[in-house]
């Protein structure tokens, strides 16, 4: 019974560092109990754990923004606004560039978390016409990029199918100047195929349901009704983000051109190629869909049909036109699909660059930077291909940076403060990262080698090479390596390999790896697009210019992504990190449903227990002396109500009076370090005859466990060493008064001000006044929230 009660008491703890006892069971039960109370945010030190509620909660109001503005991180309930405020103030006041890393699997709420961070920073920045314009442009980039880069998947109605990193730049006063967006690996294969039950990118449905009548008529596209409505496909409202584009700075002509090219991609999917195509002497009329596309982009239909149905190849030092047979060979439809994917991915890159043109900061201005990373989450599907391999590699790198920077920051803080540090064992996933990205013998390097070597190249030779290289690697396995080890496993097919990632084992089907990594577009198609009279579409294919023909092969998709990830990691390492770890509570996207088994799996692979242990390895609690003294000075008559010495000496005096064991404490240069969480907020009982600090405080409304308040009945005031200060403690604390005043409506505030003026006017002028204004003190003004009659 004792253990159960202890766990229930611990369930209210807002900081898992203070959880006692610390077990997987207690950590899971804490998150579950807090989730049941709609407390979706929990801390591990200054790391925020966010559990997706899958429904709206009333915790993002303007009043909530003001509550967290310039707050003490641990003096208020855990919230994403607290970490956003802490990062912003650190950037503004200490000139430290920040990055906010938002991680978690698909459907855990990363995209929503990034929008909340951005909206909070925008809300607390100063006002002004120019500043407001910049803020609105930064915020409106979200719906535009979501429209073109997000889609409904089995696990998430608004899944980011690309990676986004935004550097928001501020001036010396902390006012936003602009920003730069980097995008990573758009999942363009979704353009031509996706899993049953999923949807394509939102913009296609938004265009069909919300595009202008003139645009749809010109593009020969139908207007969809209920079938394309938001209830059917699960994305944002079916409204084209034209208003958002206008705010960013797009001209009407640019918006029209952008949507026209989007319509081209839509219509390409319906193009049926003729099996009897002949380039000469008298070809049949091109298919109707192809003719409509060419009317839209200003191109001769015969030119596009020839590019799709034939190839120009070099033979005996001359160029020869070879006709394809689409009905007998997949090459024709491969070209059609490759063209659709290339148009869309290049259009997306153009879109990002166009947004950057509007929001970028003029050169020469001194700036501070806050980076926000919202990138696709770790994915394990029934069938995992090249896209999942690349996505999971990126998440492996993010896990690596989380582990290393957490430990690095922890170690540096102890060294900086002059506190001894005891390292904690943890799983270093560098071995998995190296397996994938090693420039000489990593999986990506082997894939590139297969793509570039002459002769017959296919996935079989690629898989054989991997099996030879990694026959003994403990994080790699395949059917062949299993057979060599005499392991019987029917779940691993012969055309697959499996990687033991930090987040679990993932089986990858190598079919399509070489094609998707090469990502080649036949030169005939590039030249056809260059011949178009549609200015935007033409600009997307500069290599189609006959004057700029290059025989050099473009870099592979894997090579480009690896280089992008390396640049991202370098950028993140240069900034002070802030972490938001998102957790998906159930697989069905059901509001406020918590599945313990699913959450426990995420707790394990996110390394939350390790994170807590690292934080507790030396000292579980640390706080700046001035903040610590401000919160706890009432617990000693020598520091309450005023302490005139240094904050460090005041903290020492306070803790001496409370008689905490010396081994529990360490005094750094700027912070007090307390070893055991029990010393701050015990689960039950006492430690060494001393009650925890939070239990000694008088009860504050709305506070909760951990470093923000005990949330339970305080120890009677006469029981502590502050007996001389007990009378003062009966008065409301300044923070309580401030909080009460901020919650007043304008009408209530005006009424109380009127009463205050009346109090001053009638003071000492009527004997019965003090009795009639019972609760307002001795007729000399207002005492605080407990007084008053109105």
């Amino acid at each position: 019974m004792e253990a159960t009660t202890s766990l229930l008491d611990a369930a209210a703890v807002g900081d898992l560092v203070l959880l006692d006892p610390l077990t997987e069971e207690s950590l899971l039960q804490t998150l579950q109990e807090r989730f049941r109370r709609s407390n979706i945010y929990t801390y591990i030190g200054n790391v925020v754990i966010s559990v997706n509620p899958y429904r709206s909660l009333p915790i993002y109001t303007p009043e909530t923004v003001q509550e967290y503005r310039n707050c003490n991180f641990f003096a208020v309930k855990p919230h994403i606004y607290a970490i956003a405020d802490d990062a912003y103030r650190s950037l503004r006041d200490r000139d430290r560039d920040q990055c906010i890393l938002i991680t978690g699997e698909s459907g855990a709420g990363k995209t929503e978390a990034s929008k909340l961070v951005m909206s909070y920073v925008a809300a607390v920045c100063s006002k002004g016409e120019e500043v407001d314009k910049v803020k609105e442009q930064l915020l409106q980039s979200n719906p535009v990029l979501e429209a073109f880069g997000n889609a409904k998947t089995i696990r998430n109605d608004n899944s980011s199918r690309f990676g986004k990193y935004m550097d928001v730049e501020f001036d010396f006063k902390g006012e936003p100047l602009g920003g730069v967006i980097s995008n990573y690996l758009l999942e363009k294969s979704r353009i031509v195929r996706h899993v049953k039950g999923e949807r394509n990118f939102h913009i296609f449905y938004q265009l069909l349901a919300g595009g202008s009548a003139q645009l749809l008529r010109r593009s020969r596209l139908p207007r969809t009704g209920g079938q394309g409505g938001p209830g059917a496909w699960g994305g944002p409202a079916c409204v084209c983000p034209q208003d958002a584009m206008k705010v960013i700075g797009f001209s009407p002509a640019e918006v029209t051109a952008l949507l026209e090219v989007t319509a081209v991609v839509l219509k390409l999917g319906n193009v049926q190629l003729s099996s009897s195509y002949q380039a000469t002497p008298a070809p049949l009329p091109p298919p109707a869909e192809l003719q409509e596309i060419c009317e839209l982009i200003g191109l001769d239909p015969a030119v596009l049909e020839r590019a799709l149905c034939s190839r120009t190849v070099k033979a005996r030092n001359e160029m020869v036109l070879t006709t394809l047979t689409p009905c007998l060979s997949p090459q024709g439809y491969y070209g059609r699909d490759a063209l659709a994917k290339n148009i869309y991915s290049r259009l997306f890159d153009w879109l990002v660059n166009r947004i950057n043109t509007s929001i970028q900061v003029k050169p020469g201005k001194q700036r501070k930077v806050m980076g926000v990373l919202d990138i696709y989450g770790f994915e394990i599907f029934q069938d995992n291909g090249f896209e999942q391999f690349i996505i999971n590699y990126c998440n492996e790198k993010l896990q690596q940076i989380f582990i290393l920077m957490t430990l690095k920051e922890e170690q540096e803080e102890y060294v900086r403060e002059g506190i001894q540090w005891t390292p904690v064992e943890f799983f270093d996933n560098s071995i998995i990262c190296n397996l994938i990205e090693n420039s000489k013998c990593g999986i990506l390097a082997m894939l590139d080698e297969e793509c570039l070597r002459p002769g017959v190249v296919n996935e079989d030779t690629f898989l054989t090479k991997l099996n030879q290289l990694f026959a003994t690697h403990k994080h790699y396995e395949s059917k062949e390596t299993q057979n060599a080890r005499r392991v019987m496993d029917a779940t691993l097919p012969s055309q697959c390999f499996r990687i033991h990632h930090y987040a679990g084992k993932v089986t990858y089907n190598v079919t399509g790896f070489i094609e998707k990594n090469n990502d080649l577009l036949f030169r005939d198609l590039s030249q056809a697009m260059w011949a178009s009279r549609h200015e935007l579409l033409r600009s997307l294919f500069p290599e189609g210019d006959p004057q700029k023909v290059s025989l050099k092969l473009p870099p592979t998709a894997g090579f480009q992504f690896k280089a992008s990830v390396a640049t991202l990691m370098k950028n993140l390492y240069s900034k002070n990190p802030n972490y938001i770890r998102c957790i998906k509570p159930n697989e069905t996207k059901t509001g406020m449903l918590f599945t313990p088994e699913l959450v426990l799996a995420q707790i394990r692979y996110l390394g939350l227990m390790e994170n807590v242990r690292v934080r507790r390895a030396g000292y579980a609690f640390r706080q700046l002396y001035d903040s610590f003294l401000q919160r706890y000075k009432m617990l000693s008559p020598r520091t309450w109500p005023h302490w005139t010495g240094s904050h460090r000496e005041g903290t020492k005096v306070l803790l001496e009076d409370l008689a905490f064991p010396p081994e529990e404490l360490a005094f750094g240069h700027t912070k007090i370090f307390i070893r055991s969480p029990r010393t701050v907020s015990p689960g039950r009982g006492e430690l060494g005859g001393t009650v925890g600090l939070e239990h000694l405080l008088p009860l504050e409304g709305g506070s909760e466990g951990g470093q923000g308040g005990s949330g339970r009945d305080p120890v009677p005031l006469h029981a502590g060493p502050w007996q001389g200060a007990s009378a003062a403690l009966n008065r409301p604390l300044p923070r309580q008064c401030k909080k009460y005043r901020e919650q007043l409506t304008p009408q209530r505030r005006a009424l109380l001000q009127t009463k205050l003026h009346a109090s001053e006017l009638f003071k000492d002028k009527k004997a019965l006044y003090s009795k009639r204004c019972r609760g307002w003190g001795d007729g000399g003004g207002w005492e605080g929230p407990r007084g008053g009659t109105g």
Side-chain angles (χ1 to χ4, degrees), residues 431-445:
I431 186 174
I432 305 174
C433 295
N434 192 55
L435 167 69
I436 298 171
E437 69 182 5
N438 185 284
S439 58
K440 293 183 178 179
C441 59
I443 294 175
L444 286 174

Side-chain angles (χ1 to χ4, degrees), residues 12 72 84 119 123 171 182 184 219 267 291 326 356 374-375 382 447 466 482 521 579 672 677 729 779:
N72 181 324
S119 63
D171 65 11
S182 301
Y184 303 93
S219 307
K267 297 187 75 64
Q291 291 190 54
N356 283 338
D374 171 24
I375 207 159
Q382 190 170 355
L447 182 59
L466 295 187
Q482 284 185 344
L521 183 68
Y579 302 99
I672 175 64
L729 284 173

Side-chain angles (χ1 to χ4, degrees), residues 118-137:
M118 292 293 296
S119 63
Y120 178 84
V121 173
V124 299
C125 289
S126 59
K127 307 292 188 248
E129 185 176 343
E130 189 60 32
V131 172
D132 288 345
K133 178 184 175 182
V134 172
K135 289 194 291 189
E136 197 59 25
Q137 286 181 327

Side-chain angles (χ1 to χ4, degrees), residues 475-477 482 489 491-492 497-500 505-507:
H475 289 276
Y476 174 92
E477 61 179 324
Q482 284 185 344
D489 182 2
T491 65
L492 186 54
F497 67 90
R498 182 178 290 158
I499 294 181
H500 298 203
K505 299 178 182 180
V506 184
T507 301

